[in-house]
Structure formats: structure tokens, C-alpha cells
């Protein structure tokens, strides 16, 4: 007889798939975790990373108690203290900082460690406390914002296709996305489409594992995607295949956009993108005559100087082809705008407006002496590893006058610079509410086991901090279940019939939207109500009025000087950002840090396969093993994100050479748009 209890939960990680999982619990201990076979998107499978989640919750290096620094900043030397001592020190230091410098001297640096609406960034956990204290606002723009903004100029939202409808597409473009690594559950729907005859094209400078599985791979020059979009539309026009009725009734600015398209004939686009004219023409002809065409374009291509514009212009394609008429047609980037949860960060609790500090610009923010940051409060983030310009961040974190608190599960690179470390729960130990950014379901995560050691959830930690500060605002003390009820309290039709009771019983619920879900059937949420090829809002923000092409830094730099190689730092197959990059088995599978280099670039430098090299530019360097590979074109090299610096030879990782520059929109980071050189280590 099994005494095993099944507890339904959800994967909290920053991944579009937000899987539904089932935890088996025996005698208060989690003994198994499986993908929920009943969930239509999870379909019973987790992934190579989260298959080790339970093991990770019990890892030897898990932080279980509050810690106080005893060595110099960066040394990672701590002593164990009690929660009482930690809360006292927090209350004393915060009160002093606020008195002397004002609340804005606090930077609540929240990352994407969990996407929960209660514990995580989707619900702005902690925001109410920060507002009562008058802390600076934190602009969590590191991941997807540039592309989201670009899409919003065209469509009025970053929301697009229901990814499940890719099963109905007859042409699928996997564009700047590594599906089999960064959100593999979509693949089942791609396969369903293929069985029905769909053609699958992967557009990526790297021949990824996704490219290997596609029918066709176009190894585009980084940051030239908008030019390709215009070139494909040029062929659609040549073929006379534009949907004139759709253009006339559902779009704005067709005449001007058509002029822009005509400036990009395939021959010119071949020169810009490095693709052959024939391959551009062939795909253009396919696009012209295949309905529905579904475009999956995720975050990869917007990590460039022209990245926002790339998504803006790609979003114009279905306006020309009329693909939004059909399930399986259109563009898919993000589904989170469809979850109308009633997030209440309570900005009304602020006494006065406060500044906004930008996640991607941590180094700059900490270097500012005018209105200095005196407390950096890091939660669900590992900025020393994940954020651009690592060496500058490291110097800034070493500032003795900076009071740094890190709420963490593991002793990350960032933890080494903390004054205080607060032990954080993991997903099986706390409650949360989730919505995917790659599907249309809400999920409830029921805690399965008690937290180990003295770990506390984010919400509980902030409740205790508020109490220690003697704050009497009742909204600071709402329980997790009260927060869940508030999130679900909405008149929005998509939440019709969705209750907390039901979620807790069933684990997940599909949003109350049509199935198949076809967006924009009632118009676009733009100022004109139409798909906007021309956008007054874009113009007002200093972008072109007409959607077009803005090159990336690496593609506009004609003479590349001392740093001639373009570096791409994409998702790792075995880590999730920096999470799991301390797991011994996943580290073993990932092999040492590697950098893919085309044979031509290796040979011209006298470098050989397997050699340990340094990748460097003016900002810094990191060490990796060279892998000679035809997966990258000459002039382009690639090394995955996620590695902890302290676990890497040389003590740095990829973001040592990623500059703190902005993408064209929303100050997005340019993780795939940097110039470097390589040499023996
Ligand atoms: N296993 C795993 N899964 C993850 C993550 C992870 O770290 N590991 N990270 C998660 C997170 S935080 C996010 S935001 C998503 C990101 O998932 P993706 O959107 O897939 O993002 P990236 O891996 O940055 O880039 C995807 C692909 O874009 C390509 N690319 C780079 N530049 C260009 C370009 O200019 N044009 C084109 N066409 N392609 C380009 C890269 O070579 C890469 O193969 O994945 C999530 N899923
Ligand atoms: N070079 C390069 N760098 C990149 C990218 C890239 O493509 N290339 N991608 C960027 C992208 S897309 C993203 S989203 C960012 C992510 O950057 P971050 O938001 O900094 O995410 P992580 O580095 O994964 O760090 C998350 C931390 O949160 C902790 N954590 C997880 N759950 C919880 C919790 O419930 N409570 C608390 N207190 N902590 C928790 C984990 O242990 C982990 O250390 O990285 C960016 N960095
Ligand atoms: S990381 Fe993504 S694929 Fe893996 S379990 Fe979580 S949601 Fe699913
Ligand atoms: Mo991300």
C-alpha cells in the first residue's frame, strides 16, 4: 500500500512552458516529481533541467540559515546568525539609510528566478513594502522588453498566437528561437503540424539543435532579421500574394510600408543578411502561397541594438499575408498579456513619485554618486552573473558603503558580495499562482513539503521585515491565500469561472478564451484599432514612423578593429539562466565552458579544437574551450549563458564581455550583439 500523496504544482522558472507538475510526497518528504500527463501543454514531460529539481532542493550547498558576512566583500565568508539578528540588522540599517539619504537610496533588485504572481516578478512581490518605504522602482527589463515594445507598436500588445495553434500552421518559421532548448513543449505541436505536411524553417545564426530538426536552416547574419522580413515581403508582392482585403480593412499605413518593402529586393537583402538570394526568394514564395503561416519569434533576436525594431517589422508580415484570419497564422512571442490577473503593487502607498532604476544598467546605477544607491536588495536574481558588464558590477558590489542583502537558495556569485544572506524557499515549499508566457493556462502551485532549515518564502520574509520596521499598513500583511484571491478578483471574461478553489483542486485551468484562440478578430489594441505599419507612438519615441530595418551593432560596424568576432550568448540546454549551473550532474553534461568557432576563424589564429582560449574585448574576458564547428559562420562565435564565474576558470563568465549598451527599445540588453577577439588562454 502506497502512502504517497500527490501534490499538484507548477514550474516557476523563466521558461515559456510553465509546466504543470505532480510531486509525490511520503512521510512529509518529496519522493518524486513528474510532468502532469493531463496538462495539454506539459503532456507529461518536464525537461533535462527540472528532472533534477528535487535533487536540487536537497543539494549540499543549499542555503538553510541567515548568514552575515565576516570576510571582505567577495570572499563569500559568512557566519550563521538567527532570523532575529538578521531582521534587527535590516531594520537598523534601512532606517539609517532612509533617514540620511531617503527611501530612493534602496534599490530592490528583483530578477526572474521565479515568475510567480505571489512570490515572484509577475506579481511584483515585495513592491508594497518598497512603496511604503519610498524605495526606487526597479525596471525589470532584462529579458524580453525590447521585443515586446516593438510588437506593441505594430499590434498594440506583445500577445500573439496561442502556441498550441502551431499544430494548424502549414509553414512554420522558428525565428530567433531555440525551441528544443528554451521551451521544448512547443515541439509536439510543431510535429503535429509536420504530420499534416507543414514545412519548418529555422532562422538563426547558429545551427542549433532546433535547426538540426527543421526542414531548412537559414544561418542569418546576427541582427539583420528586419531586413529579411522586408525581403520576404518583397517577394510576396512580386507574387501578387498580398491580402488586399485584409490590408484595406485591418491595417494602417500600407502605402508607406509598401514603399519601404520595395527598397529591399532579395539581392540587397542577401547582401545584408549573408543568405543566398535563392534561399530568400524560395522562402518568400512559400510565404506568399502558404496559409496559415505561423511565426515563432522569441527573445533571441531582440538582444541586439536593432532588436525591438526586428520584432516590430516581423509583426508586420501577417498584416500583409492576412494570416491573422486563421488559427495557426500570425506571430507568437508572449502569451502573458492574456492573463488578466489583478496585480496590486499598490503604488498609491508611495508618498511621492520615485525614480526608476533599470535592471540592465546595474553597473551605471551603482556607480552614480549624485543620488547614490546605499542598499541593494537582491531577490530571485544573480546579477553578478546575469547582467551586462560583469567586471564593473563586481567593482561596484565591493563598495564598503553599500548595504547588500541577498535572498537566495544557493551561494551564487552575487551572494559572495552580500552583507546579509536570507535563506529562501524553493517552489515545492511555498504557494504560488502562475500563468505561462507560452500558453494560455493558469496554474496553482500548492506547497508539497515544509521548508528545510530556516528558509522562508519571499512573501513571509517581507511580512517579517515590515513587522520589524513597525509598519502598520495592513496591505503588507496579506497572506499568500489572500493575495491569490486578490489576483483572481476581476470582471475580465477570461477569468470567468476561474476560482482559487478550482485551481487548488485541479492544479490548472485554461483561461476562458475561445479554442482555437485567434487573436485580433475584434481589431488590434493600437490607437487606430488596426495593425499599424506606421506608428505615431513609435515616432514620438524617436523611432521610424514606418516599420523598417535598424542594424545591430555588429552588423553596422563596417571595420571591426581589434575585436572582429560577433559573440552570441544564448540559452544553455542544461541550465536555466544561472539556475542549475551549480548542479554537479548538469555541469558534467554541459562539459566545460565552450565557445563555438568556425574553422576559418580558428585556423587564421592558429587555434585548434579543444584548446583553452580567452574571449576578450575592452570590457573584460572569459575562458572557455574552443570547439571548431560549422554550426557558426565565419565571423560569429557562440558561448552559452548561465555559468557561475566562481565555478569557471579565470573567475569570470560571458557577461564580462557583454557591454552595458541599450537595444533600440526599453533599454533592453544587447547580450547577442558584442564584438570580441579570441586568443590562447
Ligand atoms: N534550457 C534553457 N531554457 C531557457 C533558458 C535557459 O537559460 N536555458 N532561458 C529562458 C529565458 S530567461 C528566456 S528569455 C528564453 C529565451 O529563449 P530564446 O528566445 O530561445 O533566447 P536565446 O537563447 O537568447 O536565443 C534564441 C536563439 O536566437 C538566436 N539569435 C541570436 N541572435 C539572433 C539574431 O540576430 N537573429 C536571429 N534570427 N536569431 C538570433 C540564438 O543563436 C539562439 O539560438 O528561454 C528560456 N528557456
Ligand atoms: N550573456 C547573457 N546573459 C543573459 C542572457 C543572455 O541571453 N545572455 N539572458 C538574460 C535573461 S533572458 C534573463 S531573464 C536574465 C536572468 O537573470 P536573473 O533574473 O538574475 O536570473 P538568474 O541568473 O537565473 O538568477 C535567479 C536567482 O534566483 C534564485 N531564485 C529562484 N527562485 C527563487 C525564489 O523563489 N526566491 C528567491 N529569493 N530566489 C530565488 C536562484 O537561485 C538564482 O540564483 O539573464 C540575462 N542574462
Ligand atoms: S524549465 Fe520549462 S520545460 Fe522545464 S519544467 Fe520548467 S517550464 Fe517545463
Ligand atoms: Mo529571460
Amino acid at each position: 500500500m502506497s502512502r504517497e500523496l500527490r501534490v499538484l504544482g507548477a514550474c516557476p522558472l523563466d521558461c515559456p512552458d510553465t509546466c504543470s507538475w505532480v510531486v509525490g510526497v511520503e512521510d512529509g518528504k518529496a519522493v518524486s516529481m513528474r510532468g502532469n500527463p493531463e496538462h495539454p501543454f506539459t503532456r507529461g514531460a518536464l525537461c533535462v533541467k527540472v528532472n533534477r529539481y528535487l535533487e536540487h532542493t536537497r543539494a549540499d550547498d543549499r542555503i538553510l540559515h541567515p548568514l552575515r558576512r565576516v570576510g571582505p566583500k567577495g570572499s563569500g565568508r559568512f557566519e550563521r546568525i538567527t532570523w532575529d539578528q538578521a531582521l534587527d540588522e535590516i531594520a537598523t540599517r534601512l532606517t539609517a539609510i532612509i533617514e540620511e539619504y531617503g527611501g530612493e537610496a534602496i534599490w530592490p533588485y528583483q530578477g526572474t528566478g521565479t515568475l510567480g504572481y505571489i512570490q515572484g516578478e509577475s506579481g511584483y512581490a515585495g513592491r508594497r513594502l518598497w512603496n511604503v518605504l519610498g524605495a526606487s522602482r526597479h525596471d525589470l527589463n532584462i529579458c524580453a522588453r525590447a521585443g515586446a515594445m516593438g510588437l506593441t507598436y505594430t499590434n498594440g500588445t506583445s500577445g500573439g498566437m496561442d502556441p498550441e495553434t502551431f499544430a494548424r500552421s502549414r509553414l512554420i518559421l522558428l525565428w530567433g528561437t531555440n525551441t528544443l532548448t528554451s521551451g521544448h513543449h512547443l515541439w509536439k505541436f510543431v510535429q503535429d503540424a509536420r504530420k499534416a505536411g507543414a514545412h519548418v524553417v529555422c532562422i538563426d545564426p547558429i545551427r542549433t539543435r532546433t535547426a538540426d530538426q527543421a526542414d531548412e536552416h537559414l544561418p542569418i547574419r546576427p541582427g539583420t532579421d528586419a531586413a529579411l522580413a522586408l525581403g520576404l515581403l518583397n517577394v510576396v508582392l512580386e507574387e501578387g500574394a498580398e491580402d488586399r482585403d485584409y490590408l484595406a480593412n485591418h491595417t494602417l499605413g500600407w502605402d508607406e510600408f509598401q514603399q519601404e518593402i520595395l527598397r529591399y529586393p532579395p539581392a540587397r537583402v542577401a547582401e545584408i543578411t549573408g543568405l543566398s538570394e535563392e534561399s530568400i526568394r524560395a522562402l518568400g514564395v512559400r510565404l506568399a502561397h502558404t496559409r496559415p503561416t505561423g511565426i515563432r519569434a522569441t527573445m533571441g533576436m531582440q538582444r541586439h541594438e536593432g532588436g525591438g525594431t526586428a520584432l516590430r517589422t516581423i509583426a508586420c508580415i501577417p498584416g500583409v499575408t492576412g494570416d491573422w484570419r486563421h488559427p495557426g497564422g500570425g506571430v507568437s512571442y508572449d502569451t502573458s498579456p492574456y492573463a488578466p490577473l489583478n496585480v496590486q503593487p499598490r503604488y498609491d502607498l508611495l508618498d511621492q513619485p520615485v525614480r526608476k532604476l533599470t535592471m540592465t544598467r546595474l553597473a551605471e546605477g551603482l556607480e552614480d554618486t549624485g543620488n547614490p544607491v546605499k542598499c541593494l536588495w537582491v531577490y530571485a536574481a544573480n546579477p553578478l552573473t546575469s547582467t551586462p558588464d560583469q567586471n564593473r558590477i563586481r567593482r561596484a558590489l565591493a563598495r564598503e558603503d553599500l548595504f547588500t542583502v541577498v535572498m537566495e537558495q544557493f551561494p551564487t556569485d552575487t551572494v559572495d558580495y552580500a552583507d546579509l544572506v536570507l535563506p529562501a524557499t524553493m517552489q515545492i515549499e511555498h504557494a504560488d499562482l502562475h500563468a505561462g508566457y507560452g500558453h494560455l493556462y493558469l496554474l496553482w502551485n500548492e506547497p508539497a513539503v515544509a521548508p528545510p532549515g530556516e528558509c522562508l518564502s519571499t512573501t513571509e520574509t517581507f511580512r517579517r521585515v515590515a513587522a520589524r520596521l513597525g509598519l502598520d499598513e495592513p496591505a503588507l500583511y496579506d497572506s499568500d491565500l489572500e493575495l491569490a484571491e486578490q489576483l483572481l478578483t476581476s470582471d475580465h471574461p477570461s477569468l470567468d469561472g476561474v476560482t482559487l478553489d478550482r485551481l487548488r483542486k485541479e492544479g490548472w485551468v485554461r483561461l476562458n478564451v475561445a479554442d482555437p484562440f485567434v487573436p485580433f478578430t475584434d481589431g488590434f489594441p493600437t490607437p487606430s484599432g488596426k495593425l499599424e505599419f506606421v506608428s505615431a507612438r513609435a515616432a514620438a519615441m524617436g523611432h521610424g514612423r514606418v516599420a523598417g530595418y535598424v542594424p545591430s551593432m555588429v552588423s553596422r560596424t563596417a571595420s571591426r578593429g581589434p575585436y572582429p568576432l560577433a559573440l552570441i550568448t544564448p540559452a544553455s540546454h542544461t541550465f536555466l539562466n544561472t539556475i542549475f549551473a551549480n548542479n554537479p550532474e548538469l555541469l558534467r553534461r554541459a562539459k566545460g565552458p565552450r565557445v563555438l568557432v568556425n574553422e576559418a576563424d580558428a585556423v587564421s589564429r592558429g587555434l585548434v579544437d579543444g584548446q583553452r582560449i580567452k574571449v576578450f574585448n575592452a570590457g573584460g574576458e572569459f575562458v572557455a574551450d574552443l570547439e571548431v564547428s560549422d554550426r557558426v559562420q565565419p565571423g560569429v562565435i557562440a558561448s552559452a549563458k548561465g555559468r557561475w564565474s566562481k565555478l569557471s576558470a579565470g573567475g569570470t563568465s560571458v557577461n564580462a564581455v557583454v557591454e552595458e549598451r541599450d537595444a533600440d527599445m526599453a533599454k533592453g540588453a544587447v547580450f547577442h550583439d558584442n564584438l570580441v577577439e579570441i586568443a590562447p588562454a
Side-chain angles (χ1 to χ4, degrees), residues 14 112 142-144 299 303 437 577 641:
D14 186 350
T112 62
I142 201 163
C143 175
M299 290 82 212
R303 312 199 201 287
Y437 66 92
N577 289 320
K641 67 173 170 178

Side-chain angles (χ1 to χ4, degrees), residues 5 15 46 60 88 91-92 135 159 197 217 247 280 319 338 375 393 491-492 496 535 548 556 562 591 620 679:
L5 196 73
C15 165
L46 297 173
D60 290 341
D88 276 344
T92 310
H217 171 222
L247 285 165
I280 296 165
Y338 298 124
C375 170
I393 294 175
D491 292 333
H492 197 288
D496 252 9
S535 163
R556 80 174 149 70
K591 308 209 185 79

Side-chain angles (χ1 to χ4, degrees), residues 14 111-112 380 382 386 407-409 569 577-578 641 655 671:
D14 186 350
T112 62
N382 184 8
S386 285
M407 294 160 74
E408 250 302 346
Q409 303 160 339
T569 58
N577 289 320
T578 72
K641 67 173 170 178
N655 282 322
F671 291 119

Side-chain angles (χ1 to χ4, degrees), residues 210-229:
T210 306
D212 282 339
Q213 297 298 318
D215 296 304
E216 200 182 329
H217 171 222
L218 299 185
I220 192 168
R221 189 171 286 148
T224 63
D225 301 278
L228 177 61

